[in-house]
Amino acid sequence: MRELVFALEYEPGCNRVADALADHPDARVRSLSLHATADRLWRVDHATGTPEALDAVEDAFLSADYYADCLATEDCGATQTTRILDRADDTLILYSDWERTPTCASVPHIARDHFGDGVLFETRHEGRHYTWRLIHAGEGDVAAFFHALEVAVGECAQMEMLRTANTTTSAGGSDGTPSGLPPAQEAALQAAVEHGYYESPREVDVGELAEHLGVPRSTLTYRLRRAEEHLAKQHVAGERVTEERLISR
């Protein structure tokens, strides 16, 4: 089995969910389940944030021009049904069912075209960044998949490859960095340390650091957050292994 992780960074006005999340930086949306057949897509998403952020996310999902991951730049005539499964002050769970038309395209359907049936999908949406994690059988042409995705996305989003590896590969070394981070996240973290972002008090804020690196503030924030999450999980996992070894002695 192979793991493929990449991110789309949407331009303003190209994806209403991305626009809503960009207006509410503390909000997040992750998929709880996502399935696709040749002509349908259905998914359950879990959103967190303030009540105002969840209102914006809910409105984006319920808007007729969203169509659960459709990459068409104009109305493709698809039929979508979105239902609210649960709503609290800081949590929103949505179910979407999307019946595509011949002019529709989406990441799951492009993946099925190139990797076949049985692809597993996991998504995280933060700001304008939409991260996809695909698990597939290892057959198919990854380069052709990305070319087809690039054509479908057009100028609406930029793509960034984050990781591709065997699912059995241990974290740390599969992508050429000692920490196991994608190169872009590794570079962002190293620059943050070198410029005093993690000093107390900070010697530089994220906006100044982003300007120095020549990347959008939202991009740098996303990379640092993902890097910090990866290293924190890696540290906790290492502590558990050490504790288990001590107990077994």
Side-chain angles (χ1 to χ4, degrees), residues 70-153:
C70 185
L71 298 174
T73 56
E74 297 180 356
D75 189 349
C76 59
T79 301
Q80 171 171 302
T81 301
T82 297
R83 297 184 178 91
I84 300 172
L85 299 183
D86 190 27
R87 176 68 193 262
D89 288 342
D90 58 355
T91 301
L92 172 66
I93 299 179
L94 293 150
Y95 168 81
S96 299
D97 178 38
W98 175 51
E99 184 175 357
R100 66 190 299 222
T101 66
T103 59
C104 294
S106 71
V107 171
H109 290 109
I110 295 173
R112 289 184 77 257
D113 290 342
H114 290 84
F115 303 129
D117 292 327
V119 182
L120 301 178
F121 304 95
E122 179 183 81
T123 67
R124 298 174 68 100
H125 210 160
E126 302 173 63
R128 301 198 183 281
H129 293 271
Y130 197 5
T131 304
W132 286 82
R133 180 173 182 257
L134 277 58
I135 303 294
H136 62 97
E139 300 176 355
D141 191 332
V142 173
F145 163 74
F146 272 107
H147 175 71
L149 183 58
E150 184 176 17
V151 171
V153 170

Side-chain angles (χ1 to χ4, degrees), residues 24-204:
H24 301 276
D26 293 333
R28 309 280 185 273
V29 180
R30 63 183 176 89
S31 58
L32 297 180
S33 64
L34 198 168
H35 309 276
T37 63
D39 57 358
R40 300 187 76 91
L41 183 153
W42 62 97
R43 59 184 297 160
V44 177
D45 289 284
H46 179 274
T48 58
T50 64
E52 294 77 16
L54 296 183
D55 286 341
V57 170
E58 179 182 327
D59 180 65
F61 268 87
L62 295 176
S63 298
D65 61 350
Y66 177 54
Y67 295 137
D69 296 322
C70 185
L71 298 174
T73 56
E74 297 180 356
D75 189 349
C76 59
T79 301
Q80 171 171 302
T81 301
T82 297
R83 297 184 178 91
I84 300 172
L85 299 183
D86 190 27
R87 176 68 193 262
D89 288 342
D90 58 355
T91 301
L92 172 66
I93 299 179
L94 293 150
Y95 168 81
S96 299
D97 178 38
W98 175 51
E99 184 175 357
R100 66 190 299 222
T101 66
T103 59
C104 294
S106 71
V107 171
H109 290 109
I110 295 173
R112 289 184 77 257
D113 290 342
H114 290 84
F115 303 129
D117 292 327
V119 182
L120 301 178
F121 304 95
E122 179 183 81
T123 67
R124 298 174 68 100
H125 210 160
E126 302 173 63
R128 301 198 183 281
H129 293 271
Y130 197 5
T131 304
W132 286 82
R133 180 173 182 257
L134 277 58
I135 303 294
H136 62 97
E139 300 176 355
D141 191 332
V142 173
F145 163 74
F146 272 107
H147 175 71
L149 183 58
E150 184 176 17
V151 171
V153 170
E155 297 182 355
C156 280
Q158 297 179 356
M159 293 190 298
E160 179 182 1
M161 168 68 79
L162 299 178
R163 182 169 65 256
T164 178
N166 291 326
T167 56
T168 55
T169 301
S170 59
S174 64
D175 42 25
T177 62
S179 62
L181 292 170
Q185 293 179 19
E186 179 82 18
L189 195 64
Q190 183 173 353
V193 172
E194 290 175 351
H195 288 83
Y197 177 74
Y198 290 110
E199 296 297 325
S200 182
R202 284 178 172 164
E203 298 175 4
V204 63

